[in-house]
């Protein structure tokens, strides 16, 4: 019987510390965003203004823009790390940025007409 030999040492474990730290920071940020969004919705419900916000038809543009931007950035980063050609990732990034720009333009236009 041959004993299992492993070269996994302290140096290898310390290599993963920054990745774990980044994961914890991202999860903490996501939790903070969800908590603040919940508080905002509760405040709107208490003031009776929640119906006005729920009728906003631009939410799908924001979600779609963020999704396409993330997919495009992921494609570009994976292509750069693997040493291959970038491909359609750049196009997806620009489509996502265009959707986000449209969302923020419409939000500003609606905000100026309401005020």
């Amino acid at each position: 019987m041959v004993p299992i030999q492993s070269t996994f040492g302290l140096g290898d474990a310390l290599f993963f510390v920054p990745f774990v730290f980044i994961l914890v920071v991202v999860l903490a940020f996501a939790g903070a965003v969800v908590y603040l969004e919940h508080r905002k919705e509760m405040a709107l419900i208490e003031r009776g203004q929640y119906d006005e916000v729920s009728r906003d038809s631009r939410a799908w543009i924001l979600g779609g823009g963020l999704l396409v931007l993330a997919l495009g950035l992921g494609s570009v980063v994976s292509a750069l790390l693997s040493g291959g050609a970038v491909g359609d990732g750049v196009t997806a990034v620009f489509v996502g940025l265009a959707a986000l720009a449209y969302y923020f333009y419409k939000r500003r236009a609606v905000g100026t007409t309401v005020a």
Side-chain angles (χ1 to χ4, degrees):
M1 182 150 112
V2 177
I4 298 175
Q5 297 178 357
S6 175
T7 60
F8 190 79
L10 183 61
D12 294 329
L14 291 177
F15 173 77
F16 291 107
V17 169
F19 297 110
V20 172
F21 179 73
I22 289 172
L23 178 68
V24 169
V25 167
V26 167
L27 289 176
F29 180 74
V33 167
V34 168
Y35 175 71
L36 291 175
E37 186 69 25
H38 173 72
R39 290 200 36 159
K40 181 184 90 171
E41 287 183 5
M42 290 300 112
L44 287 172
I45 289 171
E46 288 176 1
R47 287 190 226 134
Q49 299 174 344
Y50 188 73
D51 290 335
E52 298 167 8
V53 175
S54 65
R55 283 187 242 133
D56 188 9
S57 64
R58 295 168 293 147
W60 69 271
I61 296 170
L62 178 63
L66 288 173
L67 178 67
V68 172
L69 180 66
L71 288 173
L73 285 176
S75 175
V76 168
V77 168
S78 67
L80 290 176
L81 289 177
S82 68
V86 174
D88 294 331
V90 176
T91 304
V93 168
F94 285 119
V95 169
L97 288 175
L100 294 176
Y102 175 76
Y103 171 80
F104 289 112
Y105 171 76
K106 283 300 217 179
R107 186 177 83 174
R108 180 174 294 233
V110 169
T112 57
T113 58
V114 172

